[in-house]
Amino acid sequence: MKHILFALLFTISLSGFSQILDPVKWSTSVEKISDTEYKLISTADIDTSWHLYAQFVPENGPIPTTFIYDNSEETFSLEGNTLEGKGRTIFDPVFEMQIKFFEGQAQFEQLIKVSSAINKVEGFVEYMVCDDTQCMPPTEVELEFILEENNAVTSASTTTAVAGNAKETPVKISEKHIEKEESSATNKGLWSIFFIAFLSGFAALLTPCVFPMIPMTVSFFTKQSKNKAAGIKNAIIYGVSIIVIYVLLGSAVTGIFGASALNALSTNVWFNVIFFILLVVFAVSFLGAFEIVLPNSWANKVDSQADRGGLVGIFFMALALAIVSFSCTGPIVGTLLVESASKGGIAPIIGMFGFSLAIALPFALFAAFPGWLNSLPKSGGWLNTVKVVLGFLELALAFKFLSNADLVLQLHILEREVFIAIWIAVFGTLVFYLFGKIQLPHDSPLPHISVGRLSLGLIVLSFTIYMIPGLWGAPLNIISAFPPPQEYSESPYGVGFSKVGGFASTDTHGELPEGAHLLAPHDIMAFNDYDKGVAYAKKVGKPIMLDFTGWACVNCRKMEQNVWPEPSVLSILKNDVVLISLYVDDKRPLAEGDVVDSQLKPGKKLKYIGQKWSEMQTIKYKSNSQPFYVIIDHDEEKLVEPVAYLPDATLYKNWLKEGVLKFKK
């Protein structure tokens, strides 16, 4: 079990995920009325908590849903207006007026009469969706109605051709394939949060506040119950109650802050600084300086309710466990909530479910099989060792949040070498502790080192040695999500670290163009100024790749460190496109002449560089998450559909090739 504790460190790096808000999915179908009449049906599937506005709304209200059908060749005529469902009409808190809108699903029907043989009708829908706190920018989606085949055509299923150069055979890859990959990455992020939380729950079991409660609680249920079946039933109810309590906590965090707002917090400077301090306090508590406890009056009140018996009494017994064990579980729960909250969505709920499931399982299992209690190790000093190890992990994780704040503000205080040096110091000290060279306040005398403690010490020692070359530029892929990027460093290449790839960028051996810099360690020439990058692309005759990224974006770092170095991808980035990296969380102020009014928030000013790029991404590309990649031509028009986090290097390469090929046509 002790090996699980260290595994937490390695699995947390998998928990980052990207999230694109796309609350409405459109599909089309056709109903044949006669040989010359067809009904064009547009169906909108609307995500939970979002609503789509009707075709007619009051003045100064939201953008209405509008359908345009392309009849430039005059092959059909519209019979009447586009019909819509009943919907709902209520007071909208966002626009403060009575507005009709649709929830769940909405269907729109347009009758047409064809005057010549046609196979399909094309058009588009412009619409706006909101929830109770925010609105998405007006969006246009192309629609296609197949008249002959009479089957549904989803607007997001357009197949695009991907090709490398003129000698290569085009590779067909659908946009759905890319969306599926992005969705898979999101699901993996949620699964990794669940897995981390589940392991954290087992770690919490091994603390002095929880572990001794297992035999005590199981014995209570087996002795107080009329028979074995009743004892098992009560223990299961007890375990379910534990899960309910912690899941309610995760739901409260999501409900208070909002699913989408949580994700935005991850780049907020104050959020990161506050939670750095919070995690340091948790760590110091675990190391034995003091204990974080809830008021005794809470425990007494809850404990008195536990005597009532029945389901209510069992529930309050579970609540009493959560309160009494808070000094050990509180820091772990707090860390999980901080980490999962920064991912947004339902991540806090998933995290609390995984954590509570790991705690609840032993109570139910040992109640069902009481003989297993004999196999449990006795309580002792090893429980405090578990707390101390968790304290060191908390301390290491805390510096990730401080690093995020430093990156966003571009202070260059906690650069890559400093961050890695701190981690080496933290885990190096943990090695001395595990080998018995350091003792902390609540430790028992250590006459000898157990095999388990020695094994864990060797694992931590190996990890510490692994990090040392990172001081001289090694990439450290195992922990790529934690340290600052390699270009945010005193010496990006370092002593003894060779540059990646064998392809030469334009101007690699000469003077870089104005506004350009080299991204270490790959030596990709990049611009952070949009206008200068576009001007240079026109000069050298190459397409432009916009990289909407963030200093505190975990998945951005994973793409840059794990996908971009692939030789075929790196060659394109260095030779075939002009890269413009736009950091949406850059908190440096705009020049006085560049401060303008926000188009998304009337009355507000765009004061920071990152706000400018964030608003540009939202308005022009209808996306608000990072990483987000767009390939455009010299007229600043999209060559292919943009992609987000795409960890499959082959798919990413094919997407790049498609954009380059379309530019050359």
Side-chain angles (χ1 to χ4, degrees):
M1 295 295 291
K2 294 181 181 179
H3 294 75
I4 293 176
L5 302 177
F6 191 71
L8 291 175
L9 176 67
F10 297 95
T11 54
I12 288 176
S13 63
L14 299 174
S15 63
F17 66 95
S18 174
Q19 191 173 50
I20 296 179
L21 291 178
D22 185 17
V24 181
K25 304 293 187 300
W26 289 91
S27 61
T28 63
S29 59
V30 177
E31 181 181 334
K32 186 174 182 180
I33 307 300
S34 67
D35 290 339
T36 59
E37 290 182 313
Y38 295 86
K39 185 184 292 182
L40 310 183
I41 303 172
S42 304
T43 303
D45 290 306
I46 309 163
D47 288 353
T48 304
S49 79
W50 291 87
H51 46 262
L52 171 73
Y53 292 103
Q55 296 180 89
F56 304 98
V57 299
E59 187 178 356
N60 298 322
I63 300 296
T65 299
T66 306
F67 291 88
I68 302 296
Y69 304 94
D70 182 9
N71 193 24
S72 56
E73 298 182 4
E74 299 183 352
T75 54
F76 64 90
S77 61
L78 300 178
E79 302 293 305
N81 297 322
T82 301
L83 303 179
E84 63 184 25
K86 184 177 180 180
R88 296 178 60 194
T89 302
I90 64 173
F91 183 80
D92 191 301
V94 176
F95 292 95
E96 299 183 345
M97 61 177 66
Q98 295 285 336
I99 303 178
K100 178 182 176 181
F101 61 80
F102 302 95
E103 294 177 315
Q105 188 179 80
Q107 195 169 87
F108 303 85
E109 299 178 354
Q110 174 64 57
L111 185 65
I112 66 168
K113 188 171 184 178
V114 299
S115 55
S116 60
I118 57 174
N119 297 325
K120 65 180 179 180
V121 173
E122 295 180 338
F124 68 88
V125 57
E126 181 183 26
Y127 63 95
M128 184 175 182
V129 288
C130 299
D131 62 10
D132 291 336
T133 60
Q134 62 179 329
C135 292
M136 296 293 291
T139 304
E140 286 187 8
V141 171
E142 294 180 357
L143 303 174
E144 187 177 52
F145 304 88
I146 304 298
L147 301 186
E148 286 191 348
E149 297 176 2
N150 195 23
N151 60 342
V153 180
T154 302
S155 62
S157 62
T158 306
T159 300
T160 55
V162 181
N165 48 49
K167 294 182 180 180
E168 293 185 87
T169 303
V171 180
K172 294 288 183 180
I173 174 174
S174 70
E175 204 172 301
K176 273 188 174 180
H177 193 179
I178 292 177
E179 289 179 358
K180 182 179 179 182
E181 189 74 18
E182 294 169 359
S183 176
S184 174
T186 298
N187 291 334
K188 287 179 181 177
L190 289 175
W191 274 110
S192 62
I193 286 175
F194 173 81
F195 179 66
I196 294 163
F198 192 76
L199 292 179
S200 300
F202 275 122
L205 277 173
L206 302 178
T207 57
C209 313
V210 182
F211 187 79
M213 298 292 291
I214 298 175
M216 292 170 57
T217 306
V218 172
S219 297
F220 172 82
F221 284 125
T222 54
K223 290 179 180 179
Q224 297 297 321
S225 303
K226 295 180 180 179
N227 52 57
K228 181 178 179 181
I232 294 174
K233 175 187 173 183
N234 291 338
I236 292 174
I237 294 173
Y238 181 73
V240 171
S241 299
I242 293 173
I243 294 174
V244 170
I245 290 167
Y246 283 103
V247 169
L248 286 175
L249 177 61
S251 302
V253 171
T254 304
I256 292 171
F257 291 100
S260 58
L262 286 170
N263 184 259
L265 284 175
S266 63
T267 60
N268 182 276
V269 173
W270 287 111
F271 170 89
N272 283 282
V273 170
I274 289 171
F275 281 108
F276 162 73
I277 297 171
L278 186 63
L279 293 188
V280 169
V281 171
F282 287 163
V284 173
S285 170
F286 268 162
L287 293 177
F290 52 83
E291 285 194 352
I292 302 174
V293 294
L294 295 176
N296 289 330
S297 58
W298 292 17
N300 294 333
K301 289 180 181 179
V302 170
D303 195 48
S304 64
Q305 295 295 320
D307 296 331
R308 295 173 58 180
L311 295 178
V312 175
I314 294 175
F315 177 82
F316 277 100
M317 281 185 64
L319 185 57
L321 171 69
I323 293 175
V324 171
S325 64
F326 184 80
S327 61
C328 292
T329 59
I332 301 175
V333 169
T335 305
L336 284 174
L337 285 175
V338 170
E339 182 67 18
S340 57
S342 66
K343 310 306 177 190
I346 62 171
I349 300 174
I350 297 295
M352 288 300 94
F353 175 70
F355 178 83
S356 58
L357 181 63
I359 289 182
L361 275 176
F363 291 97
L365 290 175
F366 283 114
F369 306 99
W372 289 4
L373 289 172
N374 298 326
S375 62
L376 283 179
K378 294 181 179 180
S379 300
W382 66 273
L383 292 175
N384 189 68
T385 301
V386 173
K387 277 187 65 176
V388 171
V389 171
L390 290 175
F392 277 104
L393 293 178
E394 294 260 4
L395 187 59
L397 184 60
F399 283 95
K400 171 59 182 171
F401 290 92
L402 185 62
S403 173
N404 286 344
D406 181 64
L407 281 165
V408 169
L409 294 175
Q410 289 290 284
L411 298 177
H412 287 268
I413 296 173
L414 198 61
E415 291 183 325
R416 185 179 176 86
E417 293 93 342
V418 178
F419 183 96
I420 294 173
I422 291 172
W423 268 38
I424 291 173
V426 170
F427 287 99
T429 305
L430 176 57
V431 171
F432 280 105
Y433 173 79
L434 291 171
F435 287 161
K437 303 301 181 183
I438 297 175
Q439 281 201 325
L440 292 173
H442 300 294
D443 285 335
S444 302
L446 188 65
H448 63 274
I449 299 176
S450 66
V451 174
R453 185 165 179 159
L454 176 64
S455 300
L456 183 59
L458 290 173
I459 292 174
V460 179
L461 177 61
S462 300
F463 177 67
T464 306
I465 295 173
Y466 165 80
M467 289 191 292
I468 292 175
L471 296 172
W472 290 275
L476 304 182
N477 290 333
I478 291 178
I479 58 171
S480 60
F482 286 92
Q486 287 180 282
E487 63 266 22
Y488 196 78
S489 173
E490 293 180 4
S491 52
Y493 303 108
V495 178
F497 181 63
S498 59
K499 297 180 182 180
V500 180
F503 304 94
S505 296
T506 305
D507 295 326
T508 295
H509 302 291
E511 186 177 347
L512 288 172
E514 182 184 0
H517 65 281
L518 293 180
L519 284 178
H522 314 311
D523 270 356
I524 303 171
M525 188 177 68
F527 291 82
N528 295 133
D529 185 288
Y530 181 83
D531 294 330
K532 291 179 180 178
V534 171
Y536 179 75
K538 292 178 179 179
K539 176 182 176 182
V540 298
K542 293 181 180 181
I544 302 155
M545 190 182 98
L546 301 181
D547 167 29
F548 289 97
T549 183
W551 290 110
C553 171
V554 171
N555 283 337
C556 302
R557 303 293 85 77
K558 289 182 179 179
M559 289 292 293
E560 293 161 10
Q561 195 148 329
N562 300 328
V563 177
W564 286 13
E566 290 294 320
S568 55
V569 173
L570 188 60
S571 175
I572 298 173
L573 293 176
K574 296 179 78 169
N575 300 317
D576 299 331
V577 299
V578 173
L579 176 65
I580 304 178
S581 294
L582 306 174
Y583 290 84
V584 301
D585 56 2
D586 191 334
K587 291 299 190 289
R588 291 178 297 168
L590 286 163
E592 188 173 343
D594 293 334
V595 175
V596 296
D597 293 327
S598 170
Q599 297 180 46
L600 295 178
K601 300 177 181 178
K604 299 285 186 179
K605 295 282 187 182
L606 299 182
K607 299 179 179 180
Y608 304 109
I609 293 173
Q611 290 178 326
K612 178 180 179 180
W613 304 137
S614 179
E615 185 152 306
M616 173 187 175
Q617 181 189 356
T618 303
I619 293 174
K620 193 168 184 178
Y621 301 110
K622 312 300 186 291
S623 172
N624 60 354
S625 65
Q626 296 78 44
F628 189 74
Y629 306 105
V630 189
I631 299 180
I632 61 175
D633 58 21
H634 295 164
D635 294 324
E636 301 178 38
E637 296 295 330
K638 293 185 296 184
L639 291 167
V640 291
E641 284 304 309
V643 297
Y645 178 59
L646 195 61
D648 187 315
T650 301
L651 280 180
Y652 193 74
K653 175 196 68 176
N654 288 340
W655 175 78
L656 287 169
K657 284 184 175 181
E658 178 190 6
V660 173
L661 181 66
K662 286 195 173 182
F663 176 80
K664 292 179 179 179
K665 288 183 177 180

